[in-house]
Amino acid sequence: MPGKLKAKIVAGRHLPVMDRASDLTDAFVEVKFGNTTFKTDVCPKSLNPQWNSEWFKFEVDDEDLQDEPLQITVLDHDTYSANDAIGKVYIDIDPLLCSEAASVISGWFPIYDTIHGIRGEINVLVKVELFNDLNRFRQSSCGVKFFCTTSIPRCYRVAMVHGFVEELVVNEDPEYQWIDRIRTPRASNEARQRLISLMSGELQRKIGLKVLEMGGNAVVGYLQCFDLEGESGLVVRAIGTACTLDKLSSGSAPNTTTHVHPNTAPASNACNSPSKDGKESPLAHGCRSTHNSPVHSACSSQRLSQNFSVSVPTLIFTGMGSGGSAGKEAGPLKTLLRQQTQTALEQREFPFFTLTSFPLGFLVHVGGVVSARSVKLLDRIHNPDEPETRDAWWEEIRQEIKSHAKALGCHAVVGYSESTSICEEVCILSASGTASILNPRYMREGCLDIGNTDHRFEEPSPPSCGFCHIPYDELNMPFPAQLTYCHHCRRQKVPDVLFTTIDMPSEAAVSGKGCLIQARLCRLKKKAQGEVNATVISNLLPFMEYELHTQLMNKLKLRNMNALFGLQIQISVGENMLLGLASATGVYLTALPAPGGIQIAGKTPIDLSNEHHILTIQKRINDTIAKNRELYQINPPELTEEVVGSPIPEPRQRSRLFRSHSESSDELSELDLSHGKKDAFVLEIDDTDAVEDIHSLLTDAPPPSGFYSCNTEIMPGIYNWTSAVQMFTSVRVFRLSNVNLTNQGLNKIFTDLCENLLKSFYFKLRSMIPCCLCHLNFTVAVPEDELIQVAVTAVAMTFDKDQTQERTADKPVTKGCSETEEQLQFPLELFADSSSTNTQTSSKISGVPESTGVSPRAASVDYGSFADRCSTWLELLRLKAHTIRRGSVKTSRRTQSLAHSASSLDRCSPLPEGRSRSLRSNRSFGGGSVTVVKMTPLSFLPGTRIIKYLGIINMFFIRETTSLREEGGVSGFLHSFIAEVFAMVRAHVAALGGNAVVSYSMKECMLMENPHKNQAQCLINVSGDAVICVLETDQEPMSSTTSIGQTCTSGAT
Amino acid sequence: MTSHNRNLVLKGGWDKVVNEMAMELDVFVGNTTIMDEEVYQLWLDGYTVNDAVKVRMEGGVLEECEASADVLLSDTMDQYRTFQMCERLLHSPAKLANQLLFQIPPHRQAVLIERYYTFDDAFVREVLGKKLSKGTKKDLDDISAKTAVTLKSCRRQFDNFKRVFKVVEELKGPLVENIRQHFLLSDKLARDYAAIVFFANNRFETGKRKLQYITFQDFAFCAGQLINNWTVGAVDNMVEDMDVDLDKEFLQELKELKVLITDKDLLDQHKSLVCTALRGKTKAFNEMEANFKNLSRGLVNIAAKLTNTKDVRDFFIDLVEKFIEPCRSDRWTAADMRLYLTHYTNSAHILDTFKHQVVWDRYMGVVKSCIFKMYHD
């Protein structure tokens, strides 16, 4: 009996009137854990009952403690008939199982009913006493800490990164059980909520076990998702990154937090923020100049086993290196590095990391985005205890990702995530990440002391550009691309464009501000069933990927930028259409070459009027580019000619491409869709489609002045955040009324939908100007035939305008970490490791032989009968690709002074001694009787320091109504439901003693409506990390209290 | 929406705006509840969403923010929904502070409450002194038509009156304080509500044509005087009863004042004292002297009749008819009025045989200040 759970029911308030006659309620409470139930006395005739119960004690296994939620049901006593349920509270007691998190749960919880919503509140106290050494109980994994945050949580130091953990559990969905026909909707909803709560508890426990096995003590970047597969069942799956974290003592803690401060900004804590500085470039030093070009690799396969599945061509967006003679020393070093790391990584089946920002020195080079999709047909899960089918599906996808990464010369994938889109029996599984090379130090036992290692790098390649340097072998590139010397250090090669799924490393040298870039696409498809349907979908996917990619590239160039961070591509499937949405944050990295312009070319030059038209468009485009340069304050330093690396001769590239191609076993897979060949990007107008495309390119309105937006944690180029934040969720559903829609019509609608959402945000938040919308996370779905749903969660943060201007004025090139002084202390140490490496290896000069040469798809699935079809669409793609990318190369190059490179080291490191602050306060309360709880999708709150993580929040709610009209229609229904979800999250956080939720996200928002029956149902799943934070500028807890109140005030307007 | 469409809209194509938004669902929820004070006011004023959008557009908010009409519509709808959801809480404002559904900073909560309970003077003037019953509620559409306050807003204001009335009715202790604490209103607004409750409870007639010129603020002032001086709570605030009802004993004692007009000697003596004091100090002296007996009879009779509920209701109309109108027709200035009433009240103290000084002061103190307040055009 390893644990005793104790619960006490104190009081209720604001209860609903359950007895019409007296206008009162006779309430009592049932407290249930596992199979044990206790009841309080009835508190007669009161809407604000005081039960003040004894302590109810449950003696339970710790395994159950992890799996089960504490279930509190408030009922109205009725002498003559059955007692009426008022509502329930589920309390996840996981946070109490970890000594470092919360010690007691105490507070007011909203009483929630799936039909009526929140009905009053109940005050509850919960404690847990654990009796035994937890580690002896192998079935449980109490004590493993979970974090949604995709960086090393501030106030922790990472001792070791163990790697990828994943698990999934399946079950039958209660909604589809036969019993559902006879029970009430309420009972059915509650069964579902409870089951999912149980399943996620179990999942977390199992993942915890894996972590313990690996020797870790925490999961960072924990991402849990539900797949509601309908008839075929319910899947709860999770991925994360196992780590060993050391709690920073309070003395050292301050530096962890450093980052939040506006000035230090993004970079600061080692993990959190966008700044993942990990890329410490010392290792990277092999500079090779490169140009990037995105590559498409396509492969599809059909599995003939009982599960129909199609794996769809996947994209690798990368910068490719080709050519030059330049990075000589780089080669050997790289090899060595790779070898080292490989040993560390090879033990792992999947060298994947869900982190998006990294401790200093972790990330060495970035190859590009790798992604894989696969279309599956769902069938019933026969045996819930053996979820092998689903496991196998994911395994397959992960293998594919792994091989793509290898093709890019990378041994790891960071910023990794997985998702699904389900429509009836068809399911698209997607995974994506950023291929990269990591510093092995973090993966070896006992390596870790970043802080202490000293390292002096003789010729360090500045951290501000190191991660841009190509990781792959330029002599044997998997795809063609143009490389140039790094504009920053001029020693290694960089691609011309870099796409990644991670946050921008804080030390990256950027010019100007970044901005949100979205590519949106709709494709109609015929309704179909079964395999036919799956085939149709899988045939469409590559086109969609391709077009999304083209759009992204065009929009990037139009904004005069050369890199994308935080790239997420979502493809949603509906009965009669597919929706694709790619979001990313564009920036101008000064290490990469300046983007060329966009050139319009007519196909039929004979036509004079056409020519004129083209000229007009060309002018508009040029104007837009110029305007954007100003808008985003892009002002790269001048370069001197000498620096320029010679572009690799085209023919050679070509041939290389083809060669590698032929070497690889599958004929078709190499598809060159790269746009990167020339600096000026040529768009050919050959039909009306193209015209449309160009128009749509130009219709994206820039944000109104005073606003910026990005989908990463922080906006590059803004450092001086104030503490005002406003997190929000917005959902829109558009009904397509026109039956005869064309793809173009749909695209327009979809684009407008997204653009209008943004415009709405700007308008609503206008009082916060100057302000940046951060972490804009768009989720699209096709809930029904004619409906398009877009849900957005983001946070608006204000910043101090004056400072910004000053700063930009002074130094056109800003870096993630602007403060050299403080940061320098550590950063230097990082290089130690690498320098030694360097000396050892430098003797070898030759380029890196090896693995890079492997074609991307080598590892992937069998093609079988699908080959034919594939070849067809590949042909098509290729044709299209050629038309699009034709043009001359006009490169303009500039050199950049190295002046700032030194400063770019980041500040993130965990052990800063720079500013230590004593932190004493634990909680801060806002005014009023209700604790103010701030929420943010970011891993930090500007101006504050996180002093404690209290545990993960992972909540699933169902809400249903049979009086839709009375609740204000579907908007009214969802509006109150979302408000209720926020309220429940806040209440749980407050009860844990916290005052904020970081890394908050709404993972699911599934709405079904039937206005004719006056009914609607909605499911929402949210997660985040509950934390205590204090104002950074204050030592005194008191003052932080007030300021939190104020902040929230200011955010409110 | 393009600028072309926008122009169209500006020309009045309102339905079009709505139709263009084939939006099935459109919500925006902030962790801190976002409320625009301008929109809140429009909502309180009972504007429909479309009318509110129109008003906002005319206000130029679009130009400021480079937004389009449908952005405005969507924002307005969101806010209206939020207000509707909050409305339940506003009915018992104390709940707003400890509810969990909306995270609203305290100062903003105060604004929400204060604005919700703020009323239109034009409207309150119509229902002041009326029974807050269903019957009155049915007349709200007439009142709406007359006052140009929207029916929706009329209903809210009426319901507020009724709600405050109901809650306070049951409570002991000082009226204003009860209202302030229970509804978290500012002192000023709490006083206004006290007046409304007081008037409704005593059913003072305020609607007659002759009373039309008197503003709500005048009445509220008078109500304050009555509450502070004529109720049970006024003398002894430890008393169980509250200050919604007039002090019965006092009303009874008022009958004794009749001696001032029934006793011929007293009346003459009183008149000569007042006239001596006034002579030479005002142009209206002659009229004052001529009317003294009439005026005195008027005031004393009002006092003497206050034991009848019916006459209590007519208190203000009586003051106007018996005192204010005669004076006005004689063209007394406000200063004349002050002078006259001051001496009229004080002279009574010098009357040897007049024993009811305390009651007289308690009566005249209030009447004097009420008349001062009510004596204007």
Side-chain angles (χ1 to χ4, degrees):
Chain A
M1 197 63 36
K4 189 187 275 181
L5 170 67
K6 304 196 298 177
K8 181 183 172 105
I9 307 298
V10 184
R13 67 182 182 195
H14 307 157
L15 294 189
V17 169
M18 298 299 285
D19 178 1
R20 285 278 160 71
S22 65
D23 265 5
L24 289 169
T25 296
D26 305 321
F28 71 101
V29 182
E30 278 182 10
V31 186
K32 186 176 176 192
F33 190 82
N35 295 320
T36 316
T37 306
F38 294 101
K39 283 183 191 177
T40 66
D41 297 332
V42 174
C43 184
K45 310 218 175 305
S46 172
L47 298 182
N48 299 290
Q50 299 288 323
W51 290 287
N52 232 333
S53 77
E54 59 187 297
W55 283 99
F56 300 121
K57 300 187 181 84
F58 302 88
E59 302 194 326
V60 281
D61 283 341
D62 50 358
E63 188 182 338
D64 289 338
L65 283 172
Q66 287 194 291
D67 289 5
E68 296 262 353
L70 179 67
Q71 183 179 327
I72 294 168
T73 312
V74 185
L75 299 111
D76 177 49
H77 176 74
D78 199 323
T79 318
Y80 305 106
S81 60
N83 299 324
D84 294 325
I86 295 172
K88 292 193 179 214
V89 179
Y90 292 97
I91 300 178
D92 178 9
I93 47 175
D94 230 40
L96 296 181
L97 303 180
C98 183
S99 52
E100 284 166 44
S103 56
V104 63
I105 296 178
S106 161
W108 290 99
F109 290 90
I111 301 168
Y112 181 73
D113 177 71
T114 60
I115 306 293
H116 295 103
I118 290 178
R119 307 172 94 190
E121 291 124 33
I122 185 169
N123 194 305
V124 180
L125 262 167
V126 185
K127 289 183 182 178
V128 169
E129 283 167 24
L130 290 173
F131 299 153
N132 296 310
D133 176 8
L134 301 168
N135 288 334
R136 299 210 329 247
F137 295 85
R138 285 279 109 183
Q139 286 305 53
S140 82
S141 53
C142 291
V144 173
K145 296 176 282 285
F146 285 79
F147 301 91
C148 294
T149 298
T150 56
S151 52
I152 303 306
R154 320 194 158 203
C155 73
Y156 287 94
R157 192 177 70 108
V158 58
M160 171 137 167
V161 180
H162 301 279
F164 191 61
V165 279
E166 49 77 30
E167 185 61 85
L168 64 79
V169 294
V170 300
N171 211 315
E172 268 185 88
D173 189 340
E175 185 98 342
Y176 294 88
Q177 286 162 353
W178 67 267
I179 193 169
D180 203 58
R181 286 179 219 161
I182 54 169
R183 65 182 165 191
T184 63
R186 174 181 284 121
S188 169
N189 292 339
E190 284 173 2
R192 231 170 157 196
Q193 283 188 170
R194 197 180 122 73
L195 176 69
I196 291 188
S197 178
L198 268 172
M199 288 170 74
S200 36
E202 182 191 343
L203 191 68
Q204 222 170 303
R205 175 173 58 82
K206 286 185 168 168
I207 290 219
L209 280 172
K210 291 193 175 178
V211 172
L212 290 176
E213 268 164 37
M214 296 165 97
N217 65 1
V219 181
V220 180
Y222 185 66
L223 173 72
Q224 184 192 289
C225 297
F226 301 96
D227 297 329
L228 297 172
E229 298 183 347
E231 293 280 335
S232 52
L234 182 57
V235 177
V236 186
R237 60 191 161 79
I239 56 177
T241 305
C243 298
T244 302
L245 297 183
D246 292 341
K247 175 105 171 134
L248 290 171
S249 64
S250 52
S252 51
N255 46 358
T256 342
T257 42
T258 351
H259 42 300
V260 191
H261 186 66
N263 299 330
T264 9
S268 58
N269 90 358
C271 13
N272 274 348
S273 40
S275 55
K276 76 332 218 47
D277 16 6
K279 78 264 273 36
E280 88 159 317
S281 44
L283 303 179
H285 60 278
C287 249
R288 312 109 156 272
S289 74
T290 43
H291 267 311
N292 255 344
S293 56
V295 172
H296 258 292
S297 62
C299 59
S300 73
S301 70
Q302 176 174 19
R303 309 236 117 197
L304 295 178
S305 58
Q306 81 255 50
N307 295 313
F308 175 88
S309 86
V310 183
S311 119
V312 162
T314 43
L315 275 188
I316 308 179
F317 300 130
T318 45
M320 263 325 219
S322 74
S325 38
K328 306 205 170 152
E329 353 140 64
L333 206 177
K334 226 175 242 179
T335 325
L336 183 121
L337 211 180
R338 195 170 283 143
Q339 282 161 359
Q340 278 184 349
T341 329
Q342 264 167 4
T343 48
L345 284 170
E346 259 158 20
Q347 300 153 3
R348 301 182 175 88
E349 188 178 11
F350 297 111
F352 296 172
F353 301 85
T354 54
L355 303 178
T356 56
S357 72
F358 308 89
L360 190 59
F362 190 67
L363 185 66
V364 180
H365 297 300
V366 166
V369 171
V370 286
S371 78
R373 287 179 211 282
S374 149
V375 181
K376 302 288 183 189
L377 277 182
L378 299 173
D379 61 351
R380 191 170 275 279
I381 298 172
H382 296 287
N383 182 1
D385 293 331
E386 300 194 357
E388 274 134 11
T389 323
R390 297 319 185 260
D391 272 338
W393 289 355
W394 286 111
E395 162 101 21
E396 201 177 289
I397 296 254
R398 289 172 192 143
Q399 286 297 354
E400 203 170 319
I401 290 279
K402 192 176 170 184
S403 67
H404 287 326
K406 241 189 206 153
L408 289 177
C410 295
H411 57 229
V413 175
V414 295
Y416 180 72
S417 66
E418 295 176 346
S419 63
T420 58
S421 169
I422 297 173
C423 176
E424 303 290 322
E425 59 195 350
V426 174
C427 175
I428 302 181
L429 310 184
S430 311
S432 72
T434 304
S436 56
I437 290 184
L438 304 177
N439 185 339
R441 222 176 1 174
Y442 285 88
M443 285 162 279
R444 286 190 312 243
E445 208 74 50
C447 47
L448 244 299
D449 272 305
I450 322 177
N452 304 335
T453 346
D454 73 313
H455 72 353
R456 214 109 308 174
F457 204 70
E458 297 312 317
E459 310 172 81
S461 65
S464 50
C465 62
F467 73 96
C468 306
H469 302 164
I470 54 163
Y472 30 80
D473 172 18
E474 66 208 63
L475 297 175
N476 195 6
M477 297 195 309
F479 46 76
Q482 215 167 19
L483 305 177
T484 52
Y485 281 103
C486 171
H487 283 222
H488 219 265
C489 66
R490 302 187 227 155
R491 296 213 264 105
Q492 292 176 284
K493 297 224 169 158
V494 294
D496 61 349
V497 177
L498 187 63
F499 284 11
T500 74
T501 59
I502 55 178
D503 284 322
M504 191 181 78
S506 55
E507 64 278 13
V510 299
S511 176
K513 307 259 195 303
C515 74
L516 177 76
I517 293 180
Q518 284 193 320
R520 304 137 181 152
L521 187 67
C522 282
R523 277 292 166 268
L524 289 167
K525 72 170 193 67
K526 292 227 168 66
K527 283 191 191 185
Q529 298 290 316
E531 301 201 6
V532 181
N533 195 19
T535 309
V536 169
I537 292 169
S538 53
N539 286 348
L540 273 172
L541 286 180
F543 291 94
M544 295 192 65
E545 298 244 21
Y546 173 79
E547 281 197 40
L548 286 170
H549 184 251
T550 309
Q551 264 189 46
L552 279 178
M553 193 62 101
N554 287 342
K555 290 183 176 180
L556 187 67
K557 301 232 177 228
L558 201 59
R559 283 172 181 77
N560 208 43
M561 295 174 182
N562 56 19
L564 288 180
F565 289 94
L567 176 66
Q568 284 185 321
I569 301 182
Q570 199 192 349
I571 294 199
S572 279
V573 58
E575 291 256 293
N576 57 352
M577 70 176 110
L578 289 169
L579 287 184
L581 181 65
S583 307
T585 300
V587 294
Y588 185 103
L589 287 177
T590 52
L592 302 189
I598 296 178
Q599 246 184 29
I600 304 291
K603 198 166 193 178
T604 48
I606 315 137
D607 186 344
L608 280 180
S609 68
N610 199 20
E611 190 126 330
H612 175 71
H613 182 60
I614 287 169
L615 285 176
T616 331
I617 295 180
Q618 179 72 55
K619 181 160 183 315
R620 275 182 69 197
I621 287 182
N622 293 344
D623 290 350
T624 312
I625 293 179
K627 229 169 53 196
N628 282 332
R629 183 172 296 149
E630 203 166 302
L631 182 64
Y632 300 110
Q633 297 156 338
I634 295 171
N635 205 355
E638 291 300 310
L639 16 149
T640 58
E641 279 313 310
E642 27 126 1
V643 195
V644 179
S646 58
I648 294 123
E650 285 237 354
R652 193 167 147 209
Q653 266 184 348
R654 282 272 159 213
S655 61
R656 179 163 305 283
L657 169 69
F658 286 100
R659 198 187 61 196
S660 74
H661 207 310
S662 52
E663 279 165 6
S664 74
S665 58
D666 55 26
E667 322 78 288
L668 291 173
S669 47
E670 295 275 358
L671 175 60
D672 166 21
L673 298 179
S674 64
H675 302 286
K677 292 246 151 130
K678 32 274 20 236
D679 279 18
F681 199 64
V682 176
L683 288 181
E684 202 163 87
I685 305 187
D686 47 1
D687 57 12
T688 45
D689 279 20
V691 175
E692 285 289 327
D693 288 348
I694 290 169
H695 276 300
S696 70
L697 198 59
L698 293 167
T699 51
D700 281 7
S705 74
F707 271 110
Y708 292 94
S709 57
C710 60
N711 76 333
T712 46
E713 286 231 326
I714 321 206
M715 173 64 126
I718 300 180
Y719 309 103
N720 36 349
W721 302 103
T722 63
S723 55
V725 299
Q726 170 65 280
M727 189 281 292
F728 59 86
T729 290
S730 184
V731 181
R732 284 191 182 180
V733 174
F734 189 90
R735 183 173 289 279
L736 304 167
S737 41
N738 191 345
V739 197
N740 303 317
L741 275 172
T742 58
N743 278 334
Q744 253 135 39
L746 266 177
N747 280 339
K748 170 109 176 45
I749 286 171
F750 184 41
T751 300
D752 287 350
L753 189 57
C754 296
E755 284 286 309
N756 287 338
L757 262 169
L758 287 168
K759 282 184 198 158
S760 261
F761 301 157
Y762 299 138
F763 179 76
K764 275 177 191 291
L765 300 164
R766 64 194 183 281
S767 65
M768 293 181 78
I769 287 178
C771 160
C772 180
L773 303 185
C774 295
H775 214 283
L776 271 163
N777 184 18
F778 279 65
T779 325
V780 294
V782 190
E784 271 171 49
D785 248 10
E786 321 229 285
L787 299 182
I788 299 179
Q789 176 186 316
V790 182
V792 185
T793 296
V795 64
M797 306 204 293
T798 59
F799 57 92
D800 193 333
K801 193 164 197 181
D802 295 339
Q803 277 186 37
T804 313
Q805 282 168 341
E806 227 172 79
R807 197 171 288 205
T808 39
D810 292 350
K811 5 167 158 180
V813 178
T814 25
K815 317 187 157 176
C817 31
S818 42
E819 275 145 46
T820 9
E821 287 274 333
E822 278 169 64
Q823 298 150 319
L824 278 181
Q825 325 174 349
F826 325 81
L828 287 182
E829 301 165 350
L830 294 181
F831 292 87
D833 224 16
S834 49
S835 63
S836 59
T837 320
N838 193 15
T839 39
Q840 291 167 348
T841 42
S842 55
S843 52
K844 291 191 179 183
I845 300 214
S846 64
V848 189
E850 86 305 19
S851 55
T852 332
V854 180
S855 92
R857 52 228 40 75
S860 66
V861 270
D862 46 317
Y863 288 59
S865 62
F866 247 56
D868 284 356
R869 191 138 23 99
C870 289
S871 64
T872 333
W873 64 251
L874 276 172
E875 295 288 343
L876 277 172
L877 274 184
R878 198 169 299 192
L879 275 175
K880 181 126 190 187
H882 280 275
T883 51
I884 293 199
R885 151 180 52 91
R886 181 163 315 146
S888 62
V889 182
K890 317 175 190 166
T891 335
S892 69
R893 281 155 218 243
R894 322 188 166 173
T895 352
Q896 159 170 18
S897 68
L898 294 178
H900 27 250
S901 52
S903 64
S904 57
L905 304 187
D906 49 349
R907 64 284 301 318
C908 282
S909 81
L911 304 175
E913 31 250 317
R915 0 167 129 193
S916 61
R917 277 185 189 133
S918 66
L919 29 123
R920 320 166 208 164
S921 75
N922 296 320
R923 301 184 182 196
S924 29
F925 296 102
S929 54
V930 179
T931 311
V932 172
V933 176
K934 293 201 197 183
M935 293 164 71
T936 175
L938 308 183
S939 60
F940 67 96
L941 280 162
T944 68
R945 203 146 35 93
I946 294 173
I947 57 170
K948 194 169 184 188
Y949 282 81
L950 299 167
I952 197 170
I953 296 282
N954 187 0
M955 300 170 90
F956 176 83
F957 298 104
I958 302 180
R959 179 87 152 76
E960 183 163 355
T961 184
T962 49
S963 50
L964 190 56
R965 268 187 299 277
E966 295 75 2
E967 297 202 27
V970 69
S971 293
F973 170 70
L974 189 63
H975 192 140
S976 45
F977 186 33
I978 293 174
E980 282 166 354
V981 169
F982 286 180
M984 289 185 279
V985 170
R986 287 192 303 254
H988 278 79
V989 172
L992 288 169
N995 60 10
V997 184
V998 296
S999 300
Y1000 170 83
S1001 72
M1002 183 170 78
K1003 304 229 217 56
E1004 194 76 69
C1005 176
M1006 193 184 281
L1007 178 76
M1008 287 144 288
E1009 49 161 336
N1010 190 342
H1012 302 298
K1013 286 191 177 165
N1014 209 18
Q1015 288 174 342
Q1017 189 192 40
C1018 185
L1019 297 79
I1020 288 184
N1021 175 217
V1022 297
S1023 65
D1025 294 326
V1027 299
I1028 300 174
C1029 60
V1030 295
L1031 259 212
E1032 188 170 56
T1033 46
D1034 282 323
Q1035 321 243 338
E1036 294 304 315
M1038 290 307 287
S1039 43
S1040 67
T1041 304
T1042 39
S1043 66
I1044 283 183
Q1046 286 164 354
T1047 312
C1048 133
T1049 304
S1050 53
T1053 36
Chain B
M1 187 177 295
T2 64
S3 61
H4 165 74
N5 284 335
R6 192 155 123 198
N7 290 337
L8 227 165
V9 164
L10 285 170
K11 276 178 210 146
W14 285 98
D15 293 338
K16 185 163 165 45
V17 185
V18 181
N19 291 340
E20 261 177 57
M21 298 249 318
M23 211 60 74
E24 181 88 359
L25 176 155
D26 179 7
V27 299
F28 178 100
V29 189
N31 181 38
T32 302
T33 306
I34 295 188
M35 296 177 170
D36 180 314
E37 297 194 6
E38 186 202 352
V39 185
Y40 186 49
Q41 195 56 52
L42 292 168
W43 177 73
L44 289 173
D45 289 343
Y47 282 81
T48 62
V49 172
N50 281 351
D51 288 347
V53 173
K54 206 183 297 182
V55 172
R56 295 182 80 185
M57 255 173 145
E58 283 157 7
V61 68
L62 284 186
E63 284 70 21
E64 275 167 42
C65 317
E66 314 169 27
S68 62
D70 47 1
V71 166
L72 208 50
L73 178 64
S74 146
D75 178 58
T76 310
M77 299 223 288
D78 260 327
Q79 305 230 22
Y80 266 51
R81 262 198 312 271
T82 309
F83 300 140
Q84 270 154 26
M85 286 190 260
C86 279
E87 191 164 16
R88 187 176 52 82
L89 297 165
L90 288 166
H91 290 168
S92 39
K95 273 191 194 165
L96 197 61
N98 59 12
Q99 51 83 34
L100 303 178
L101 188 56
F102 298 103
Q103 183 157 284
I104 306 172
H107 80 278
R108 192 158 286 270
Q109 289 180 15
V111 172
L112 284 182
I113 296 167
E114 188 79 1
R115 293 262 200 104
Y116 189 77
Y117 283 90
T118 300
F119 46 80
D120 291 307
D121 282 356
F123 173 78
V124 70
R125 207 39 204 83
E126 293 298 318
V127 292
L128 194 64
K130 285 190 180 149
K131 201 172 169 188
L132 299 175
S133 63
K134 289 215 172 110
T136 313
K137 196 166 182 182
K138 275 183 197 142
D139 298 337
L140 289 182
D141 35 4
D142 293 340
I143 296 177
S144 166
K146 185 173 167 192
T147 58
V149 175
T150 60
L151 183 58
K152 207 177 151 230
S153 178
C154 288
R155 292 214 174 105
R156 171 181 60 86
Q157 299 181 38
F158 184 81
D159 289 341
N160 284 344
F161 297 163
K162 211 170 143 178
R163 189 175 319 111
V164 173
F165 185 92
K166 269 191 124 179
V167 167
V168 171
E169 208 179 21
E170 313 286 324
L171 296 175
K172 294 163 192 167
L175 183 58
V176 176
E177 194 51 26
N178 279 342
I179 294 174
R180 218 165 55 80
Q181 289 192 353
H182 213 275
F183 290 92
L184 308 178
L185 300 178
S186 66
D187 191 59
K188 167 81 175 65
L189 195 54
R191 282 177 196 286
D192 286 351
Y193 268 90
I196 293 164
V197 169
F198 187 73
F199 267 67
N201 189 54
N202 292 287
R203 311 277 304 283
F204 288 110
E205 175 60 64
T206 65
K208 290 268 161 58
R209 208 168 46 81
K210 282 178 180 168
L211 293 179
Q212 284 310 310
Y213 79 97
I214 301 174
T215 65
F216 169 73
Q217 285 309 327
D218 295 339
F219 279 125
F221 173 82
C222 298
Q225 292 294 311
L226 267 68
I227 293 168
N228 289 332
N229 297 292
W230 288 5
T231 58
V232 190
V235 259
D236 178 3
N237 52 17
M238 303 313 284
V239 148
E240 294 262 308
D241 219 341
M242 7 100 257
D243 20 51
V244 188
D245 295 315
L246 294 175
D247 182 351
K248 292 264 163 43
E249 259 172 63
F250 165 68
L251 297 181
Q252 207 60 43
E253 286 166 6
L254 283 176
K255 293 204 164 182
E256 311 289 341
L257 299 180
K258 269 204 140 178
V259 67
L260 281 176
I261 50 172
T262 47
D263 183 325
K264 182 111 186 7
D265 286 349
L266 260 186
L267 184 59
D268 287 339
Q269 209 184 336
H270 195 189
K271 177 179 175 184
S272 76
L273 282 170
V274 173
C275 289
T276 314
L278 290 175
R279 179 163 296 132
K281 292 189 179 155
T282 165
K283 286 181 188 162
F285 177 74
N286 291 338
E287 290 83 355
M288 286 180 183
E289 190 177 27
N291 271 337
F292 180 86
K293 290 188 179 173
N294 265 343
L295 294 176
S296 189
R297 272 193 204 104
L299 289 182
V300 174
N301 277 328
I302 293 174
K305 288 192 303 179
L306 283 178
T307 41
N308 296 329
T309 322
K310 167 81 179 70
D311 291 300
V312 170
R313 288 185 193 170
D314 287 341
F315 176 69
F316 292 100
I317 187 93
D318 287 345
L319 279 185
V320 169
E321 281 179 352
K322 301 284 160 47
F323 195 89
I324 292 173
E325 284 190 337
C327 299
R328 194 182 284 140
S329 65
D330 285 342
R331 295 167 194 276
W332 294 20
T333 63
D336 292 339
M337 178 64 76
R338 263 170 203 285
L339 197 63
Y340 177 83
L341 281 177
T342 312
H343 289 294
Y344 177 73
T345 311
N346 294 344
S347 302
H349 295 295
I350 314 174
L351 299 170
D352 318 329
T353 50
F354 184 59
K355 299 282 190 308
H356 311 287
Q357 308 291 356
V358 177
V359 178
W360 174 252
D361 277 350
R362 191 173 172 193
Y363 175 68
M364 279 310 293
V366 170
V367 167
K368 208 164 59 177
S369 36
C370 288
I371 292 177
F372 289 161
K373 197 74 186 175
M374 292 159 66
Y375 194 70
H376 62 79
D377 294 329

